[in-house]
Amino acid sequence: MDIRRFITVMERVAPPELAEDYDVGRIGLIVEGKGDIGTVCCALDATQRVAEAATLAGADMLVVHHTPLWNPVTTVRGATSHLLRTLLSAGMNLYVMHTNFDHAEGGVNDTLAARLGLSATERMTAGLVGDCSLDAEEIARRLPGGGIRVYGEIGTIQRLAVVGGSGFDPDLIREAVDLGADAFLSAELKHSVARASPIPCLEATHYALEAPAMEALSSRMGWHYIPDPPHVVVVP
């Protein structure tokens, strides 16, 4: 497939106009490689390990959720140099779908809601709220990584708000409450937000909330998915 046609297809999957303002210049074709796309690999992050696995798979294109070039690049050294050398020497393209894929139909939040079995869903400014009958243990079991932190008194949840990524914003929590949510699931919870929240907060990792959507997209498109969960060491 020609690279221009590939980009057209991807922009139908996750229209760029759905992205948050801070994603300008950070989504789409981030690294340009071969003009003809045959093998495509997909992952959550463009880590060195993922880039090397994609190279071994003979990928012409690597599709990820998070750009590895978040800040303007003024020097090419260290991990950035190593990653770019791996991609460029293989002629591999790197395509990023971030908040546009969060908001897209069938994207991060929709996949998360489906994985948790939410029904009667309503969209928020970011994320969505849906009916369920889950407790914290069952939510943890349904997410990759198998663990969440719970802040607040919680039993069986009847209506859950889910936001992939860093979604613990006080305004979003209030919006979720207005839509009937009795608990809020996202990542990167600040202590001050947890203390002020009118409903219990369930904190998972970025990987647990976002990797399922990349895996589902890969399956839908017939790509090769590269799982790369973060290596966590628990120190007593």
Side-chain angles (χ1 to χ4, degrees), residues 110-127:
D110 283 358
T111 302
L112 183 57
R115 193 178 186 107
L116 295 173
L118 303 189
S119 61
T121 56
E122 295 181 74
R123 292 195 181 275
M124 297 191 291
T125 306

Side-chain angles (χ1 to χ4, degrees), residues 44-147:
L44 182 65
D45 297 293
T47 63
Q48 183 61 37
R49 188 166 147 189
V50 164
E52 290 172 359
T55 300
L56 288 175
D60 309 304
M61 171 66 73
L62 175 60
V63 177
V64 297
H65 190 52
H66 301 125
T67 179
L69 305 174
W70 182 259
N71 296 312
V73 176
T74 55
T75 59
V76 182
R77 296 186 301 214
T80 298
S81 175
H82 196 187
L83 176 64
L84 291 178
R85 189 182 305 118
T86 302
L87 295 172
L88 293 170
S89 63
M92 194 186 313
N93 296 276
L94 178 66
Y95 192 91
V96 174
M97 301 187 301
H98 190 217
T99 52
N100 53 325
F101 192 48
D102 288 342
H103 302 322
E105 288 189 21
V108 168
N109 292 313
D110 283 358
T111 302
L112 183 57
R115 193 178 186 107
L116 295 173
L118 303 189
S119 61
T121 56
E122 295 181 74
R123 292 195 181 275
M124 297 191 291
T125 306
L128 47 81
V129 176
D131 292 344
C132 65
S133 182
L134 301 170
D135 58 22
E137 289 78 12
E138 180 61 26
I139 291 172
R141 281 194 293 269
R142 295 191 185 196
L143 297 176

Side-chain angles (χ1 to χ4, degrees), residues 120-209:
T121 56
E122 295 181 74
R123 292 195 181 275
M124 297 191 291
T125 306
L128 47 81
V129 176
D131 292 344
C132 65
S133 182
L134 301 170
D135 58 22
E137 289 78 12
E138 180 61 26
I139 291 172
R141 281 194 293 269
R142 295 191 185 196
L143 297 176
I148 59 173
R149 291 180 177 179
V150 178
Y151 297 82
E153 299 277 335
I154 193 168
T156 299
I157 300 164
Q158 302 298 324
R159 194 155 169 81
L160 177 67
V162 295
V163 181
S166 306
F168 286 112
D169 177 84
D171 290 338
L172 269 182
I173 294 175
R174 283 191 290 272
E175 186 180 349
V177 170
D178 289 342
L179 291 174
D182 53 10
F184 195 103
L185 172 67
S186 193
E188 294 189 20
L189 177 62
K190 292 181 179 179
H191 177 72
S192 59
V193 175
R195 290 295 296 257
S197 177
I199 55 176
C201 294
L202 285 63
E203 182 186 21
T205 64
H206 273 258
Y207 187 85
L209 298 177

Side-chain angles (χ1 to χ4, degrees), residues 145-147 149 205 230-236:
R149 291 180 177 179
T205 64
H231 181 64
V232 178
V233 177
V234 178
V235 180

Side-chain angles (χ1 to χ4, degrees), residues 17-35:
E17 59 269 21
L18 296 180
E20 302 287 349
D21 291 342
Y22 59 77
D23 263 343
V24 172
R26 296 184 174 97
I27 59 173
L29 188 64
I30 298 300
V31 176
E32 185 175 3
K34 299 171 184 174

